[in-house]
Every structure is written in structure tokens, then in C-alpha cells.
Amino acid sequence: MSAVPVAIVGASGYAGGELLRLLLAHPGVEVRQVTSESRAGEPAAAAHPNLRRRTTLTFSRMDDLHPCDTAFLCLPHGRTVEVIDGVLARSERVIDLSADFRLRRAEDYVRWYGFAHPRPDLLGAFVYGIPELHREAMRGARLVSSAGCNATAVILALHPLFKHGVADTRCTVVEAKVGSSEGGAGVSPASHHPVRANCVRSYKPTGHRHTAEMLQELGLSGDSRIHFSATAVDLVRGILATCHVFLNNRVDEKQIWKLYRQEYGAEPFVRIVKERDGAFRYPEPKLLAGTNFCDIGFELDGDGNRLVVMSALDNLGKGAAGQAVQAFNLMHGLDETAGLGFAGLHPV
Amino acid sequence: MSAVPVAIVGASGYAGGELLRLLLAHPGVEVRQVTSESRAGEPAAAAHPNLRRRTTLTFSRMDDLHPCDTAFLCLPHGRTVEVIDGVLARSERVIDLSADFRLRRAEDYVRWYGFAHPRPDLLGAFVYGIPELHREAMRGARLVSSAGCNATAVILALHPLFKHGVADTRCTVVEAKVGSSEGGAGVSPASHHPVRANCVRSYKPTGHRHTAEMLQELGLSGDSRIHFSATAVDLVRGILATCHVFLNNRVDEKQIWKLYRQEYGAEPFVRIVKERDGAFRYPEPKLLAGTNFCDIGFELDGDGNRLVVMSALDNLGKGAAGQAVQAFNLMHGLDETAGLGFAGLHPV
Amino acid sequence: MSAVPVAIVGASGYAGGELLRLLLAHPGVEVRQVTSESRAGEPAAAAHPNLRRRTTLTFSRMDDLHPCDTAFLCLPHGRTVEVIDGVLARSERVIDLSADFRLRRAEDYVRWYGFAHPRPDLLGAFVYGIPELHREAMRGARLVSSAGCNATAVILALHPLFKHGVADTRCTVVEAKVGSSEGGAGVSPASHHPVRANCVRSYKPTGHRHTAEMLQELGLSGDSRIHFSATAVDLVRGILATCHVFLNNRVDEKQIWKLYRQEYGAEPFVRIVKERDGAFRYPEPKLLAGTNFCDIGFELDGDGNRLVVMSALDNLGKGAAGQAVQAFNLMHGLDETAGLGFAGLHPV
Amino acid sequence: MSAVPVAIVGASGYAGGELLRLLLAHPGVEVRQVTSESRAGEPAAAAHPNLRRRTTLTFSRMDDLHPCDTAFLCLPHGRTVEVIDGVLARSERVIDLSADFRLRRAEDYVRWYGFAHPRPDLLGAFVYGIPELHREAMRGARLVSSAGCNATAVILALHPLFKHGVADTRCTVVEAKVGSSEGGAGVSPASHHPVRANCVRSYKPTGHRHTAEMLQELGLSGDSRIHFSATAVDLVRGILATCHVFLNNRVDEKQIWKLYRQEYGAEPFVRIVKERDGAFRYPEPKLLAGTNFCDIGFELDGDGNRLVVMSALDNLGKGAAGQAVQAFNLMHGLDETAGLGFAGLHPV
């Protein structure tokens, strides 16, 4: 197998750096180019010190993008759509990590992003980037739009329940606990260490944009609701989404197990984590830093009709770069797990 | 004013230590005795190194308890009820920080604690320890049962809404993010630093015992539900409870403001924290370490009928020792804020 | 006693905020004014959220400084000297927390700060702000220059040994572990939470400016050396200085105890912390957050002639605002501990 | 290449778990057996939750050890020497991660460990496990004793200077900042999260046992001294050793660069990290979690004759399991970097 030549556009941020780390170690990839407008001319390892001695690549400008097979785009939301034509002229395939092509309907951009999408014609052309839901569409696809990190955690947690009609879709409450590397947020007073350290801080109690992806991918509309809130915690990488699901009928844990096994039993990157005891009996994001896993657990409320589903992942891994590589593997007919073998650390 | 002589029974744990810190600096108190079975004979400062040079008290055994005006009991749940008669024989007043006298109905102990309460006759004798709800009953009371830390955060968050019939009581979802000093949990594999550090860990997704207090104090029964889950985060002191409340009718933020101001506008230890912007625009528990504050904020979901209420406190402060001192002040007709003047630190 | 009217100039930073917290609770002080050029017009509590409901003060501009008894200056290094005349025209006494008047010799500013001091005439007029060394000079003084945080930790650790000729002054090695609120460092890429969290980062291996204060106050010159290095750790408040001292002659621990007791036995804010066992057998900065303590411990190397002295403090407390208040108390003939009663928290 | 069959003895601890993670992903290894007395019968993934879905191995007892090519021993100090004969009867090669065979001279065990070594005959048979110093001896060796984590950091930092006679060996001061997974310390009151979190705690100011290895491997004796102190910081994995070296003669940075490049320029796992600016201009242990790197940087004191050398590694990686795998690769003539390709994460 000859290596697939790829480029990472917008490679100086955290998602771009994680992609670079994964792709440099990927047996079927050759990273030909990395671009960054702000750091053009600098070595990639200056932005990503973990890659010292791993690469001699230097950032170039996007204008100097050379032809390649696949371009990974890690640009800010709103910027991708401006450059997409230029990128497509030079690369066969595109995996976009921004939100610009995640939603299929232009009106959803107006509602959730306050953004009149300039290229509604392209919205249907991208496959939504969660392989567990869209694996077949990804095989051979040219365009994939990688899913949001919170959206991935929540969609994977809820998909089996919603698909099989077990959940009451009118009211699902999700509380996500999120690390500081999420969302590509830059240097700011709120990210200053004395302010951000030790925090437990509700930063988006209502109206989080990732909700739009959840509704779309879970097939919800009308009076269905995902009540999503996000809280910042003192962690760099990681998301734990705690989903409070109300059930249409009483079920027992065996039935829940069966649903999750049916949907995810063969999935290489989704693990059901539910043990009788121990500190790690439920999903724990810190174990997943650097991996492409999404760990899912659940507990049934003895009293009522509530199912609590917990879902953990690395926002830069399965929530961004890892999932993009998984999509890349599918697009190219490679082993879906290629380059994604890191097991995660413990203790950590 | 002559100082009130007090004793702390079970003073070597974290709640006992925090009480000791507060009472040593309280202008109207003389701490006469501190007991600990496991550390009898040792200086109190050996267990509480922050109190070096602040006290020369030495732990004695509970059997040697001398007469005092007020005994603060910081014993494990189930132990208090065994010793309460002996304590009452030697102290005029008791403030109990365990769960043994929080619930008024013996059947609730069976349901939530799996515990056949041996002294149901005493259950009605204790005032439930949240001054914002039971201030008048506390004035001159002999017996107060201090509220649970999570319960305090949730009850204070929801009380104005439930009292005024604004909330749909059939479904309220609460996610608490909790520090490692909560609940008096001792040394264990789960509390080992390499395991507990960096964690975001659902440890009680359903069935948390503090739910019983919430239902009781919010006046809920029948098909009313508080769906409470608790998640451990990498913090020592602090709780942030995020409460998803569904409203009976559409309201606007002004009306919510009005309700909270009406209930808490004159409260010395409840602050409404809701600002337009900034990292601290909503409640943040780290700012409250060592204080007796409960900070409450809220955001109304533009889309639906959900109100997100955030409530923060120090589980050892307003959630335990601080609130006990506040009750003590009321019981003795002292200034309610005496000994509780610490403003909290920033940055921290 | 009538309250002393004071102003804090440059009150929107961390040291200014800590001063404000302490002075608002000080029984002998009335804070009349707080200034900030960048936040003029905003409430002080907007910058210092821990002071919500504690003050209604609003920042004014320094140009609008009203006459007061004592002005505390918390301006950036180099700025104080520019405004000192204006301040002195309006306030009887000045306590400066910058470095501008810490060194007595203008040439030391050239050497350590690369700064030609514009007002060498004033250098001798300020008392160096460590009360344990300059208590008598502070009584009734008009001008005090508060010591650097690292300098305070190191000077207090070494002073008894150097004063009594026990240490070989030619080579003392000091490694300080420092929290992120030190030095008034502002928002920067290095303080970004994903970068600064979990760090153990040597940021000033050689040439730290506080070394100049150490040499001056320990009376060192010629071939004497304090080899000082600073390492950033994942903590917001706190410094632990580990000082490796080489002894002129073999001594035993009793003699060391005796020296420290002799110098500090009567000091209200210096504690010798040295226990046989336990996690807190040596000084631990986290216990000191918010306090004015400097805890000092030591261990004698059985093998050689090395004494390891450990010194802990809160860089914003004894290392800045706390010590400034202690000086203020001495300048005004007040109880030296007034306003400094906070014991510190445990656990934390 | 057929896979080398190996066993890990004492595999339920942190070093054993890290070895298991590395060896499961090693292309030339088959892990045949893992033993644990305390967890015999349990799945390995129950102790090491990061290995869920990576292995179905179950812990057996050491008594049931089957023949294998190489046994990795991760037993407590003092236990290895008791079982070594039994292990050698069943495995061709042994890599021991305990301290039992690190020192060549029995009297050093008496001095540093208070331990009369029962098998002095074996002390000379083990190669000391730092490949950068003993690569040739490792090729084809049967017995390797893996180096201590602190010892590795310090020896690699100082080796070029001491080998080339640049340093004054009479006085080198080393301050190590160490994470909580170091040394295999178990659950204890000192490791309890509320106690250990946020700590900066001198736990071994003098007399650390790893000093013996440093002296041995740096060839020091007589009046040479490594003054080593260790301080616990709020980190799980990682060591930063700050070494204060005094030079025999004035040198410039170029000469220092030259020495380090000469010794380590071809080393796959030692990187010289010294940049002009940026938060990561010097070694940072958090970047190295999970890797086999030792990053080394230095700064020359402009004033004096001091060189500060900073050395960072993962105590479970290059400080334990990673280095053991590196030794394994050399013993078997494999690519020295096999199984050690993980680059480390950023941000983290």
C-alpha cells in the first residue's frame, strides 16, 4: 500500500496538532503539508512541542497549498466555507473539522449560528462524520464533515435508545463536563490559569450550538428536545456527558444492555463500561486522552423511569482528530483502526 | 456577652475540623472540648494542620464529654442516634451534622438509607438546618439537624420556584459536580490521588440519599421527582448543582429575578450571581471555599420551557460547618453572621 | 480607635484585590478609594468576584486620588516611581508593593532590572517590608516597600542561619515552586489553561530579580551567592522554597531548632513546622492560602553538611498583601495581627 | 520475526500496567502471562481500565509461572531477591524493575536501604538499565536491572558533564518535583485526594535511596556529593529534576551544547530542549506522559559558575516500563525503539 498524501489546513491549533500527531504515525499516510496563517514559516514542532523529533514539517500559507489526495480542514467556523472551493480544486477529498458543513439545512445555521450559510448547495454533499451512524456512506466518500465533540458524545450515548423508540424524545437532559481544550477556544481572560484552574463553571447552560447536530442526527423534530448544558471543569482534555433519558415504558437493565450491544457490540471504538464496583465502573474521560474511544455506561433509576447514560471521550480524539482519521480510513478502504491504536494511559 | 461553651463530638474529620476553625474565631464561643475516638490524646492541630498555633486543645473520648451548652455532633451516619441520649444528658443544645435526624418520617430512612430508625420519637424534635427555610423555628431551638451538602445546594436553588408554583414538580433534573472532601469519605482506593486526580466521574447517577431531604424540604410527594445525579470532579471543596427545571407556564427572566429577590434579597448568605459576561458570570464554587455563601444563578432557555438554575457552595461551609454555625447563632439569638465573615479567596 | 482612611492604587490586579479583601475586614481601616486605569468606573467586585456584597466601591482613576492617610500602591514595576510624588502629595504614608523601592542601591537596579533608577534619592527612604527583620524601623515609618514574594520566603528561611554565621554564604541553592498568581503576570499564551495546567516548568532557572533582595537583606556581598531558581507548578496561590544550605561547621538539629526559636519563637506569623511524620510534617503552601503565615521547616542531611530548609507562604498573602497589612499595623501602632486572623483552610 | 514470549510478574501495580500496555502493542512480543498475588483470577483490565478490549489476560499467581523467554519483574523492593531463583529457573532473561539488583556493592544496600542483601553474588550479574550508558552491555544480556525513575532523570542530566570533567563533583544539588504515581506508593492517608491534591510537599529532603544509583552510575565516591531532594507536586505522572551543577572552569553555552550533542545527539529517546522563548522552551514532564523520552535542557548562570540542568521524564515511562522495553529490545537485537513510538500528547 502506498501512502496517501495529505495536507492539514489550519494545523497550528489543538485539533490540527492532534491530527498531525496521529497522521505522522499512521502507516498509510504521508503528511505533505501543514498550513497556518499565523505561524507560516515556523516548524510545526514549535506549535506542537510533543512532535519534536517527529517531524521537520514547516507551516506554509494556505495560498501555497499543493495538490494532495485528502485535505483535513481545521479552520475556525465560518472560515471553511470561504475557502472550500480553493481547497477542492487542489485535493481529491476533504475532511472538514469545522461546523460549516455539519448541518444539512441552511435554516439550522440561521437558527443556531446566526449565520446565513453562503453555500447551501454544498450542505448535502458532506457525510456527517460519525462512522457508527454513517459508515457505509463514508466508504468512498469525497467529503466528510467531522462531528462536534459534545455532539459525538451525546449522539453515541443516545442513538441506540432513540433509534429503537425506547426514549421519550420530548425531554432529554444532558449535562456535559468539558475540559479546557474544547472548541478551539484561544487565549483569553477566562482561560487564564488563575481563573480557569479549579473551576466548575457553567458556561453554556442553554442554547449550545452542538444541540443542532444532536437533533439532526438523532432524527428529532417537532416537540422533541435535547436540553443540553455545558460546564467547564479543571481538565485539559475530555468530556463526560451525563444524559438523563426518560423512557416510554419500563424496561430492565438487560434490555438496555441488549440495545447497546446490538448497536455497538462490533464497534472498534465504542465500549460499554458498566461494572459492579470500582472507581472506574463508569466511563471516565481521563482514561481516554489521546484515544479514539467513546466509552458509554448507564444506570437505571430504580424509582422512576429515568435512565442515566454516561458518555466519555477525548474532545480532541474521538471528538475531533481521532474521528476524522477513522473517517479517513473508511473513505480510503483502509483498516478502520489504522493509526488509532493508542490504548490510553492509566494512571493519569 | 459571655462566650457560649461548646463541644465538638467527632472532631477529627473534615466537617469537625472546619467547625473547629470557625468556632475558634467566633467572638461568642468558647470551644471547651473536642472528641475523637481514633485520635484521643492527640492535639487537635495534628489532625487539622491549619490550626497550628490557633489551639492547644487535645482530643478526648466521647465518654469523657463534659457538660456544655451546645454540642456539635460530627459522627458517621447511624452513630449519632446511638449516642444522642448520652449527649443530651450533658449538653443543653445539639446541632447534629449527620443524616440521622434530617428526615421527619421513619419510613424515609427505610427507603433511602435501608435503615430502621431506632428512635422515630426524636425525628420530629429536630429543626431541619437550613436557616433560609426554618429561621423562625431555629430561634431558641434546642435541636437542629444540619442539612446535607448536596441537599442544601439543591433546596436553596429550587425553593423559590417550587414555593411559588412556577416549576413543574414532576420532573426536575439535577446534576451535581462535587469535590473530594464531600461526604466524609475516608481513605480508599477510589480516593487515591493517581485515581481521583483529573477525574470526571459519575459516582451516584441515581438513588442518592440526599434526594430524600430535597423532596421533604421542597414539599414534594406523589408523582413529583427530583432526578439527582452526582459527579466527582478534581476539586477538594465545592459543589456546583446544575438544576434543570421545567416551568408550568412561560415566564420571563424578570419574573424569575423577582422570585429570587423576594426569597433571598435579605439573606446574608445567599447571593444571586448572574452577570452579562465574564468568567464569573454564574456561580463558581471555588470562590466560596471557606465561606458560608450559597451563590445562585439562572438562565432561561430561549427555545423551550426550561430554566437552568446553578447553585454553588462549599460542602464543608454552607454545606456543613458554616451552616451549623449559622444555626447556632440563631439558636442563641446572636448576630446570624457572627464568625462567618470570611469573604472567600480570589484568585484561587 | 477611629478607622484609618486608606486608598489602594492599582487595585484591579490580584495583589490589589487581596489587599482590598483584607482591608475591608480590618477593624481599624476604612477603604476610601480604589483606583484602576483599565477598569475605572466599574465596581470593584467586578474585578474581584469574592467581594460581591462586601463592597460597593467603584474604581476611579489615579488622577482623582483624594487625600488619605495611607496609600497602598500596587502598580507595575517601573510605574510607581513615575507617580510617587503625586501620591506623596496626597497621602501621609505609602506602602508600595512594587519593586521600585525595595533595593537601597541604584546600581542594583541597573544590574538586576536593567533599569536606571530615576529617583535614587528616595531609595534610602523606604523601610524594606519584612517586619521580622525591620519591625522597629516600621513603627511610625512613613514609607515602606513591601518585599517580593519569593524574596520573603527565602529571606525568612535563611535569616537565622546567616545572621548567626552558621551557613557558608558562598553557595546556597534555592529552588522555588511557584503558583500561577505570582508576579502579577497577566493573560498570555503561557498562562492559557491547556498550557499552564499540570505543568512543572522551570521558568527562571537563573537570574531571578528577587535574588537582589535576598542578597541585600541577608547582608551578602563579595563571593556570597544565592543560586535561586523558580519552577511553575499547577497551583494558583503558593510558594514552596527549598533552600539547600551548606554549614560552616557540623551542627545538630537541636542547635538549628534553637536558632529558629530564638529568631521566630515570638513571631505571630512565622511557624516552625517540623513533625516526626504525617503528610503535613513539613511546610505546605496550600494550607496557607489567604493567610499571612510563613511556615518554615528543615532537615539535616545525615551524610553531609547540608541543611535543607523549606519555607512556604501565600505569594498574595505573606508574599504581598498580608505582609503589607502587617507593616501597616506596625506603622500605625495597631495590633500587628489586626485583620490577619484567617487561619487557612484544610482540606483544600 | 516470531514474537518473544514474555511474562510480567507483579503486574497489577502501575509499573506492571504500563509494561503491559507497551508490550501488548509491541510488534515483537507476545505477553503470555501476568501475575498478581492480590488479584489472582481477575482480568488484567480490572486493574488497568485503559486495557479494556485490549487484552483478555487474567492474573495468575507467581507460583504458576510458566516458562517464557523474558520475565519482567515488578515486585516490591526486597521481594524480588526472594523469588529470583524461581524466576530464573523458568525464564531465559529477566528485567527487574525493583531496586534489588541496581547497586553493585552489597554495602551500598546496607547504607541506603538498611538491608543486608541476601544474594551479593548476583549483584554483579545485572546490567544497570540505562541504555544510554550501558547499551553495549545490554545487547545479548540475560539480566537487566531497570533504573530508578529519579535516578534516570538525574543520571541522564549529569552524565555528559561528569564524564567530561566539566562539573565540580563535590557539590551538586538536585531538586526533583515528582508526581503521585512514583515509587509504587499505595493507598495511604498521604495519598488521599483532599490531602495530596494541590500539594507542593517536600517528602524526602535528604537521604533519598535513588542517590545511591546516581553516585554509582556517575562514578562518584570520596567527597563527591549529589544533594538530592524530592518534592511532591499535583501531577500523576512525571518528574522534573532541576540540577544545580557547579563548574570547574568557566564555559560558554556552546561548549555545553557540544557535550550534550556528543553524548545524546544519536540517542532516540533523549532530546535537548532549549529554545529561545515560549512556554515549552525547557523540558516539561507533562508532554512526556506515556512516552519513553527524557528531555534535557540547561541554562548557564551569567553571574557565577552555576549550570542549571533540567531533566524531565515520565516516571512510569523512561523512568520504569518504557526504559525496560528499551532494554528488552537491545537484549533481543530488535529495533531499539520498537513498541515505544508514542509521541506524547499536547495539550494535556
Short mmCIF file of all heavy atoms in Angstrom, two decimals, chain C residues 110-150:
data_model
loop_
_atom_site.label_atom_id
_atom_site.label_comp_id
_atom_site.label_asym_id
_atom_site.label_seq_id
_atom_site.Cartn_x
_atom_site.Cartn_y
_atom_site.Cartn_z
N VAL C 110 20.24 48.69 38.13
CA VAL C 110 20.87 48.53 36.82
C VAL C 110 21.21 47.07 36.59
O VAL C 110 20.90 46.48 35.56
CB VAL C 110 22.15 49.39 36.73
CG1 VAL C 110 22.85 49.16 35.39
CG2 VAL C 110 21.80 50.87 36.92
N ARG C 111 21.81 46.46 37.60
CA ARG C 111 22.27 45.09 37.43
C ARG C 111 21.12 44.10 37.29
O ARG C 111 21.14 43.23 36.43
CB ARG C 111 23.12 44.70 38.65
CG ARG C 111 23.58 43.28 38.57
CD ARG C 111 24.55 42.90 39.68
NE ARG C 111 24.81 41.48 39.59
CZ ARG C 111 25.12 40.71 40.61
NH1 ARG C 111 25.26 41.24 41.81
NH2 ARG C 111 25.33 39.42 40.44
N TRP C 112 20.11 44.20 38.16
CA TRP C 112 19.08 43.15 38.21
C TRP C 112 17.85 43.49 37.38
O TRP C 112 17.12 42.60 36.95
CB TRP C 112 18.68 42.89 39.66
CG TRP C 112 19.78 42.25 40.45
CD1 TRP C 112 20.69 42.88 41.25
CD2 TRP C 112 20.11 40.86 40.50
NE1 TRP C 112 21.56 41.98 41.79
CE2 TRP C 112 21.23 40.71 41.36
CE3 TRP C 112 19.59 39.71 39.91
CZ2 TRP C 112 21.82 39.47 41.63
CZ3 TRP C 112 20.17 38.46 40.18
CH2 TRP C 112 21.27 38.36 41.03
N TYR C 113 17.60 44.78 37.21
CA TYR C 113 16.40 45.17 36.46
C TYR C 113 16.72 45.84 35.13
O TYR C 113 15.83 46.15 34.36
CB TYR C 113 15.51 46.11 37.31
CG TYR C 113 14.82 45.42 38.46
CD1 TYR C 113 15.50 45.12 39.65
CD2 TYR C 113 13.48 45.04 38.36
CE1 TYR C 113 14.87 44.48 40.69
CE2 TYR C 113 12.85 44.40 39.40
CZ TYR C 113 13.55 44.13 40.58
OH TYR C 113 12.92 43.49 41.62
N GLY C 114 17.99 46.07 34.88
CA GLY C 114 18.36 46.78 33.66
C GLY C 114 17.71 48.15 33.61
O GLY C 114 17.26 48.61 32.56
N PHE C 115 17.70 48.82 34.73
CA PHE C 115 16.83 49.98 34.94
C PHE C 115 17.64 51.07 35.63
O PHE C 115 18.14 50.87 36.75
CB PHE C 115 15.66 49.50 35.82
CG PHE C 115 14.65 50.55 36.22
CD1 PHE C 115 13.93 51.26 35.26
CD2 PHE C 115 14.36 50.76 37.56
CE1 PHE C 115 12.96 52.19 35.64
CE2 PHE C 115 13.41 51.69 37.95
CZ PHE C 115 12.71 52.42 36.99
N ALA C 116 17.80 52.19 34.95
CA ALA C 116 18.47 53.33 35.57
C ALA C 116 17.45 54.04 36.46
O ALA C 116 16.58 54.73 35.94
CB ALA C 116 19.02 54.27 34.50
N HIS C 117 17.55 53.84 37.74
CA HIS C 117 16.51 54.32 38.64
C HIS C 117 16.46 55.85 38.62
O HIS C 117 17.46 56.51 38.90
CB HIS C 117 16.78 53.82 40.06
CG HIS C 117 15.56 53.85 40.94
ND1 HIS C 117 15.01 55.01 41.41
CD2 HIS C 117 14.77 52.84 41.38
CE1 HIS C 117 13.94 54.72 42.14
NE2 HIS C 117 13.77 53.40 42.12
N PRO C 118 15.29 56.42 38.31
CA PRO C 118 15.23 57.88 38.16
C PRO C 118 15.21 58.63 39.49
O PRO C 118 15.38 59.85 39.50
CB PRO C 118 13.91 58.11 37.41
CG PRO C 118 13.09 56.90 37.69
CD PRO C 118 14.02 55.77 37.98
N ARG C 119 14.98 57.95 40.59
CA ARG C 119 14.89 58.66 41.86
C ARG C 119 15.75 58.01 42.94
O ARG C 119 15.25 57.58 43.99
CB ARG C 119 13.44 58.72 42.33
CG ARG C 119 12.52 59.55 41.44
CD ARG C 119 12.94 61.02 41.44
NE ARG C 119 12.91 61.56 42.78
CZ ARG C 119 11.80 61.99 43.39
NH1 ARG C 119 10.64 61.97 42.74
NH2 ARG C 119 11.86 62.45 44.61
N PRO C 120 17.06 57.92 42.71
CA PRO C 120 17.90 57.27 43.72
C PRO C 120 17.82 57.95 45.08
O PRO C 120 18.05 57.32 46.11
CB PRO C 120 19.31 57.38 43.12
CG PRO C 120 19.22 58.41 42.05
CD PRO C 120 17.82 58.40 41.57
N ASP C 121 17.42 59.21 45.08
CA ASP C 121 17.31 59.94 46.35
C ASP C 121 16.30 59.32 47.30
O ASP C 121 16.41 59.43 48.51
CB ASP C 121 16.90 61.39 46.07
CG ASP C 121 15.57 61.47 45.30
OD1 ASP C 121 15.48 60.86 44.21
OD2 ASP C 121 14.62 62.09 45.81
N LEU C 122 15.31 58.65 46.72
CA LEU C 122 14.25 58.09 47.56
C LEU C 122 14.58 56.68 48.06
O LEU C 122 13.88 56.16 48.93
CB LEU C 122 12.93 58.04 46.78
CG LEU C 122 12.13 59.35 46.71
CD1 LEU C 122 10.92 59.17 45.79
CD2 LEU C 122 11.68 59.76 48.11
N LEU C 123 15.60 56.05 47.49
CA LEU C 123 15.80 54.63 47.79
C LEU C 123 16.03 54.37 49.27
O LEU C 123 15.54 53.40 49.83
CB LEU C 123 16.97 54.07 46.96
CG LEU C 123 16.67 53.97 45.45
CD1 LEU C 123 17.89 53.45 44.72
CD2 LEU C 123 15.47 53.07 45.21
N GLY C 124 16.75 55.29 49.90
CA GLY C 124 17.02 55.08 51.32
C GLY C 124 15.84 55.40 52.23
O GLY C 124 15.86 55.07 53.42
N ALA C 125 14.82 56.00 51.65
CA ALA C 125 13.72 56.48 52.49
C ALA C 125 12.71 55.40 52.85
O ALA C 125 11.93 55.56 53.78
CB ALA C 125 13.02 57.65 51.79
N PHE C 126 12.70 54.33 52.09
CA PHE C 126 11.72 53.27 52.32
C PHE C 126 12.29 52.20 53.25
O PHE C 126 13.43 51.77 53.10
CB PHE C 126 11.34 52.62 50.99
CG PHE C 126 10.36 53.42 50.17
CD1 PHE C 126 10.78 54.53 49.44
CD2 PHE C 126 9.01 53.07 50.16
CE1 PHE C 126 9.87 55.26 48.69
CE2 PHE C 126 8.09 53.80 49.40
CZ PHE C 126 8.53 54.91 48.67
N VAL C 127 11.47 51.77 54.19
CA VAL C 127 11.84 50.62 55.01
C VAL C 127 11.50 49.36 54.23
O VAL C 127 10.41 49.26 53.66
CB VAL C 127 11.06 50.62 56.35
CG1 VAL C 127 11.44 49.40 57.18
CG2 VAL C 127 11.32 51.90 57.12
N TYR C 128 12.42 48.40 54.18
CA TYR C 128 12.15 47.14 53.48
C TYR C 128 11.13 46.35 54.28
O TYR C 128 11.27 46.17 55.50
CB TYR C 128 13.46 46.36 53.32
CG TYR C 128 13.28 45.11 52.49
CD1 TYR C 128 13.21 45.19 51.10
CD2 TYR C 128 13.19 43.86 53.09
CE1 TYR C 128 13.03 44.04 50.33
CE2 TYR C 128 13.02 42.71 52.33
CZ TYR C 128 12.94 42.81 50.95
OH TYR C 128 12.77 41.68 50.20
N GLY C 129 10.14 45.83 53.58
CA GLY C 129 8.90 45.45 54.22
C GLY C 129 8.78 44.12 54.92
O GLY C 129 7.67 43.59 55.00
N ILE C 130 9.83 43.54 55.43
CA ILE C 130 9.66 42.31 56.20
C ILE C 130 9.72 42.65 57.69
O ILE C 130 10.79 42.98 58.21
CB ILE C 130 10.75 41.27 55.83
CG1 ILE C 130 10.63 40.91 54.33
CG2 ILE C 130 10.61 40.02 56.70
CD1 ILE C 130 11.51 39.75 53.89
N PRO C 131 8.60 42.59 58.38
CA PRO C 131 8.56 43.02 59.79
C PRO C 131 9.50 42.21 60.67
O PRO C 131 10.04 42.76 61.64
CB PRO C 131 7.10 42.79 60.18
CG PRO C 131 6.33 42.84 58.90
CD PRO C 131 7.25 42.27 57.86
N GLU C 132 9.69 40.95 60.36
CA GLU C 132 10.55 40.13 61.21
C GLU C 132 11.98 40.66 61.22
O GLU C 132 12.74 40.41 62.16
CB GLU C 132 10.52 38.67 60.74
CG GLU C 132 9.19 37.97 61.00
CD GLU C 132 8.07 38.35 60.03
OE1 GLU C 132 8.36 39.06 59.04
OE2 GLU C 132 6.91 37.95 60.26
N LEU C 133 12.36 41.40 60.18
CA LEU C 133 13.71 41.96 60.13
C LEU C 133 13.74 43.45 60.47
O LEU C 133 14.77 43.95 60.92
CB LEU C 133 14.33 41.77 58.74
CG LEU C 133 15.00 40.42 58.46
CD1 LEU C 133 13.98 39.30 58.26
CD2 LEU C 133 15.92 40.50 57.26
N HIS C 134 12.64 44.14 60.22
CA HIS C 134 12.67 45.60 60.34
C HIS C 134 11.51 46.14 61.16
O HIS C 134 11.01 47.23 60.87
CB HIS C 134 12.64 46.22 58.92
CG HIS C 134 13.78 45.81 58.07
ND1 HIS C 134 15.07 46.29 58.25
CD2 HIS C 134 13.86 44.94 57.04
CE1 HIS C 134 15.88 45.75 57.35
NE2 HIS C 134 15.17 44.92 56.60
N ARG C 135 11.12 45.40 62.17
CA ARG C 135 9.94 45.82 62.93
C ARG C 135 10.11 47.21 63.55
O ARG C 135 9.23 48.05 63.44
CB ARG C 135 9.65 44.79 64.02
CG ARG C 135 8.42 45.13 64.87
CD ARG C 135 8.02 43.97 65.77
NE ARG C 135 7.34 42.93 65.02
CZ ARG C 135 7.80 41.70 64.85
NH1 ARG C 135 8.97 41.35 65.36
NH2 ARG C 135 7.11 40.82 64.17
N GLU C 136 11.23 47.43 64.16
CA GLU C 136 11.39 48.71 64.86
C GLU C 136 11.38 49.88 63.89
O GLU C 136 10.79 50.92 64.15
CB GLU C 136 12.65 48.70 65.72
CG GLU C 136 12.55 47.75 66.91
CD GLU C 136 11.19 47.84 67.63
OE1 GLU C 136 10.73 48.96 67.93
OE2 GLU C 136 10.57 46.77 67.85
N ALA C 137 12.01 49.67 62.74
CA ALA C 137 12.03 50.75 61.75
C ALA C 137 10.65 51.05 61.20
O ALA C 137 10.36 52.16 60.75
CB ALA C 137 12.99 50.38 60.61
N MET C 138 9.80 50.04 61.21
CA MET C 138 8.46 50.24 60.67
C MET C 138 7.56 51.05 61.59
O MET C 138 6.65 51.73 61.12
CB MET C 138 7.79 48.89 60.42
CG MET C 138 8.28 48.22 59.16
SD MET C 138 7.41 46.66 58.91
CE MET C 138 8.29 46.08 57.46
N ARG C 139 7.80 50.92 62.88
CA ARG C 139 6.94 51.65 63.82
C ARG C 139 7.05 53.14 63.54
O ARG C 139 8.12 53.73 63.68
CB ARG C 139 7.36 51.38 65.26
CG ARG C 139 7.19 49.94 65.70
CD ARG C 139 7.32 49.82 67.22
NE ARG C 139 7.71 48.47 67.63
CZ ARG C 139 6.87 47.45 67.74
NH1 ARG C 139 5.60 47.61 67.46
NH2 ARG C 139 7.30 46.25 68.12
N GLY C 140 5.96 53.69 63.10
CA GLY C 140 5.94 55.12 62.83
C GLY C 140 6.52 55.52 61.48
O GLY C 140 6.55 56.70 61.14
N ALA C 141 6.98 54.54 60.71
CA ALA C 141 7.55 54.90 59.40
C ALA C 141 6.49 55.49 58.48
O ALA C 141 5.30 55.20 58.61
CB ALA C 141 8.16 53.66 58.74
N ARG C 142 6.94 56.30 57.54
CA ARG C 142 6.02 56.87 56.53
C ARG C 142 6.04 56.06 55.24
O ARG C 142 5.05 56.02 54.52
CB ARG C 142 6.44 58.30 56.19
CG ARG C 142 5.86 59.37 57.09
CD ARG C 142 6.09 60.73 56.43
NE ARG C 142 5.32 60.89 55.22
CZ ARG C 142 5.72 61.57 54.14
NH1 ARG C 142 6.90 62.16 54.12
NH2 ARG C 142 4.94 61.67 53.07
N LEU C 143 7.17 55.44 54.97
CA LEU C 143 7.35 54.78 53.67
C LEU C 143 7.85 53.34 53.86
O LEU C 143 8.90 53.13 54.49
CB LEU C 143 8.38 55.54 52.84
CG LEU C 143 8.07 57.01 52.55
CD1 LEU C 143 9.26 57.66 51.83
CD2 LEU C 143 6.81 57.12 51.72
N VAL C 144 7.11 52.42 53.35
CA VAL C 144 7.53 51.02 53.40
C VAL C 144 7.45 50.44 51.99
O VAL C 144 6.49 50.70 51.26
CB VAL C 144 6.64 50.21 54.37
CG1 VAL C 144 6.84 48.70 54.16
CG2 VAL C 144 6.95 50.58 55.82
N SER C 145 8.45 49.66 51.64
CA SER C 145 8.45 48.97 50.36
C SER C 145 8.28 47.49 50.63
O SER C 145 9.16 46.84 51.20
CB SER C 145 9.79 49.22 49.65
OG SER C 145 9.86 48.43 48.51
N SER C 146 7.15 46.97 50.25
CA SER C 146 6.82 45.57 50.54
C SER C 146 7.73 44.63 49.77
O SER C 146 8.06 44.88 48.62
CB SER C 146 5.35 45.33 50.17
OG SER C 146 4.74 44.49 51.10
N ALA C 147 8.12 43.55 50.41
CA ALA C 147 9.12 42.64 49.84
C ALA C 147 8.51 41.76 48.76
O ALA C 147 7.31 41.50 48.75
CB ALA C 147 9.68 41.77 50.95
N GLY C 148 9.36 41.25 47.87
CA GLY C 148 8.92 40.30 46.85
C GLY C 148 8.51 38.99 47.49
O GLY C 148 8.96 38.63 48.59
N CYS C 149 7.63 38.27 46.81
CA CYS C 149 7.08 37.05 47.41
C CYS C 149 8.15 35.98 47.56
O CYS C 149 8.30 35.38 48.63
CB CYS C 149 5.89 36.56 46.59
SG CYS C 149 6.19 36.34 44.83
N ASN C 150 8.90 35.73 46.49
CA ASN C 150 9.97 34.74 46.61
C ASN C 150 11.03 35.21 47.61
O ASN C 150 11.55 34.42 48.38
CB ASN C 150 10.65 34.52 45.25
CG ASN C 150 9.75 33.79 44.28
OD1 ASN C 150 9.30 32.69 44.54
ND2 ASN C 150 9.48 34.41 43.14
#
